[in-house]
Amino acid sequence: MPDESTTPHPHRWAALAVLLLAEAMNLLDATITTVAAPVIRADLGGSNAAIQWFSAAYTLPFAVFLITGGRLGDIAGRRRIFRAGMTAFTLASLACALAPSTAALIAVRAVQGAAAALIIPQTIGMIRALFDGRELARAMGCIGPVMGLAAVTGPALGGVLTHADLFGSTWRAVFLVNVPLGAAVLLASRLLREDRAARRPRLDLTGTVLAVLGTGLVIYPLIQGGAVGWPGWCWALLIVGGALLAGFPVHQRWRGRYGRSPLVEPSLFRERGFPAALIASVLFFAAVNGLMLVIVVQLQVGLHSDVLTAGYTLLPWSVAMALSSWAAGAWLVPRYGARVMAVGLLALLVGTVAAAVVYGTGRPGSYPWPLLPALAVAGLGQGLYAVPFFTTALRHVRPHETGSAAGLLNAVQQLGGTLGVALLGSVFFRTTTSGALAQGTATLTGARNAFCVAAVLILATAAATAFMRPRQQRSSGPTGFTPRHDPVAQHSAHG
């Protein structure tokens, strides 16, 4: 009887389509609500902070449970955990669509994010179980275009579905779309091959609790603080959350010293390169994700634009990001290496500053047409930076550290996005609710202030990126990069 682990799967390409659809659903759900958030708040009620929570409630649990989700797949089987996560994700999507209140929607969005943390870490392992050799490279090469397409269509699709008001569903359609897609993935999941780690690690429950509590106690006051005037308990929560996060690496080193399975490999922090990459990732995605929220809210609150206009306004950014990502991966990075990152950050900074100028000189009540080319330049920079960034961050990671490093990079990427929504959203809403300016002028000023803060974050990203290169370089080819079809780097860049 042939060995299943070495026999090519007869339906492996159909199984790949199932996995790519699951990946695309996650990316769509992280971005599709950005455009619909003001409409949801207007329908269900709540403060301005609710707009930020509709996004943060998803990305925060996704970030903190991502590594644990990967560990569960190693232990119990990746297909089994994938199915469990997809079932929970689909049911949570239906519950989001039926949510009767803002609080209920935020709670179920958190369940959605936790379910996504069970799904996404399993895909790379199952693709590796399905393919080998050149076919594996081809399969991994499909991830980039699919993720790029999802990133481009997410905001626009959110605007189209909300504006279409199918059967009177308004914003609820952005969640209902997941139900048939999730059901299709579950029905087709029989095509997937079960896969698990050869040596099953143990769960690090204490480390997970430290990460969850620490990040939650930091993000919560950042979002709610502006709405309640920053009382003392907000600062207390920030201090406690920061202390818990500072204790996380101490706990990880302790587990590693005593032979227990840590949540992340402590050896990743022995050189400055990887910690610097984590800091750069948080800062970079904080700027990018936070700005997208500010753009949408300014249009809908300040100009009273419909969701379709808000979604289409983000298209220049999304399309430029997709094109520059393709160019970076196919041509620029193999030829110029890590230098592409500097060009990407410069373009992102130029686009951000240009957008701040547009907001600072704009007229209340008028659509900011000069914003579109500025956003295109910013999107160009995002794509040029993200692709070589992940390859550079993982360049000197040892084989036994790869899984932990990739999981941690993806987690801090989501955490950075959550932090950006909290920080830049709070900067925007603090200006618009101060009462010192008329509504139209206030939203322009708030957007300008948020873009200025984002420019500072981009400069800080550049500083952190400069420390990503280890003090003593190791030989790894003429450009110092891993192969173009490195699955972990490619998955991170588009995930």
Side-chain angles (χ1 to χ4, degrees):
M1 185 175 181
D3 184 2
E4 188 186 67
S5 64
T6 58
T7 303
H9 195 291
H11 305 295
R12 56 192 178 277
W13 293 106
L16 175 65
V18 174
L19 295 172
L20 291 179
L21 178 57
E23 288 261 6
M25 286 176 64
N26 164 70
L27 185 55
L28 279 172
D29 217 69
T31 58
I32 199 171
T33 54
T34 301
V35 174
V39 178
I40 299 173
R41 196 280 307 268
D43 183 29
L44 296 181
S47 66
N48 288 328
I51 295 177
Q52 297 163 271
W53 278 119
F54 293 144
S55 175
Y58 179 87
T59 55
L60 183 58
F62 180 45
V64 296
F65 289 119
L66 192 63
I67 300 176
T68 300
R71 189 69 55 84
L72 286 171
D74 292 338
I75 296 171
R78 296 188 175 96
R79 184 175 66 173
R80 179 180 300 174
I81 297 300
F82 178 87
R83 283 175 166 172
M86 184 55 67
T87 300
F89 185 89
T90 305
L91 293 175
S93 297
L94 179 60
C96 285
L98 300 176
S101 66
T102 295
L105 178 58
I106 292 172
V108 186
R109 281 286 281 169
V111 176
Q112 253 193 328
L118 295 178
I119 298 169
I120 300 306
Q122 320 310 329
T123 55
I124 291 295
M126 286 194 287
I127 291 175
R128 282 174 166 167
L130 289 167
F131 297 95
D132 196 9
R134 291 185 177 180
E135 281 196 343
L136 177 61
R138 287 176 56 197
M140 292 297 179
C142 295
I143 294 178
V146 171
M147 295 302 100
L149 181 63
V152 170
T153 58
L157 182 60
V160 169
L161 289 175
T162 305
H163 181 78
D165 192 19
L166 299 173
F167 307 106
S169 59
T170 63
W171 59 268
R172 300 179 189 273
V174 303
F175 299 110
L176 285 173
V177 71
N178 288 330
V179 177
L181 293 176
V185 170
L186 284 171
L187 287 173
S189 63
R190 295 175 297 175
L191 300 173
L192 303 176
R193 172 176 282 174
E194 185 58 280
D195 180 57
R196 57 171 53 89
R199 291 192 306 171
R200 299 184 185 181
R202 295 180 180 180
L203 291 177
D204 180 8
L205 296 179
T206 304
T208 302
V209 170
L210 284 174
V212 171
L213 288 180
T215 53
L217 291 176
V218 168
I219 295 298
Y220 183 80
L222 285 177
I223 294 179
Q224 293 294 134
V228 295
W230 282 97
W233 61 263
C234 284
W235 297 105
L237 290 181
L238 276 173
I239 293 171
V240 173
L244 290 175
L245 290 177
F248 177 78
V250 176
H251 173 262
Q252 296 299 287
R253 286 194 295 269
W254 177 83
R255 284 186 67 91
R257 185 178 301 118
Y258 287 93
R260 302 181 181 182
S261 298
L263 200 59
V264 298
E265 287 288 341
S267 57
L268 288 170
F269 301 93
R270 289 177 181 170
E271 294 182 352
R272 72 181 188 184
F274 191 75
L278 296 179
I279 296 172
S281 182
V282 169
L283 295 169
F284 175 76
F285 286 101
V288 169
N289 289 31
L291 287 180
M292 287 191 173
L293 176 72
V294 170
I295 294 166
V296 168
V297 176
Q298 191 279 326
L299 286 169
Q300 295 191 49
V301 174
L303 294 181
H304 304 289
S305 300
D306 58 25
V307 290
L308 207 57
T309 301
Y312 287 156
T313 300
L314 290 177
L315 270 182
W317 183 314
S318 300
V319 172
M321 184 269 291
L323 292 176
S324 60
S325 295
W326 171 80
W331 178 55
L332 295 174
V333 171
R335 183 170 182 178
Y336 298 105
R339 286 173 289 179
V340 177
M341 287 193 295
V343 177
L345 283 180
L346 179 60
L348 180 59
L349 181 62
V350 169
T352 300
V353 172
V357 172
V358 171
Y359 283 121
T361 58
R363 291 184 301 170
S366 299
Y367 183 83
W369 290 104
L371 181 66
L372 300 182
L375 296 183
V377 174
L380 182 72
Q382 180 184 355
L384 291 178
Y385 180 80
V387 173
F389 166 78
F390 285 104
T391 311
T392 305
L394 296 169
R395 178 170 53 185
H396 294 299
V397 169
R398 301 170 184 86
H400 72 280
E401 300 169 338
T402 301
S404 182
L408 192 55
L409 272 175
N410 275 285
V412 298
Q413 172 185 338
Q414 299 298 327
L415 180 61
T418 307
L419 182 64
V421 167
L423 178 60
L424 299 187
S426 296
V427 170
F428 174 82
F429 286 121
R430 183 173 184 178
T431 304
T432 58
T433 58
S434 65
L437 299 170
Q439 180 71 2
T441 303
T443 58
L444 287 173
T445 304
R448 182 203 63 191
N449 293 345
F451 270 75
C452 289
V453 173
V456 175
L457 293 176
I458 295 166
L459 291 173
T461 303
T465 302
F467 284 93
M468 286 173 58
R469 178 174 297 181
R471 291 185 178 89
Q472 293 183 354
Q473 294 287 330
R474 298 181 185 127
S475 176
S476 55
T479 61
F481 279 85
T482 49
R484 184 190 305 176
H485 291 293
D486 175 16
V488 174
Q490 193 175 66
H491 181 266
S492 299
H494 295 91

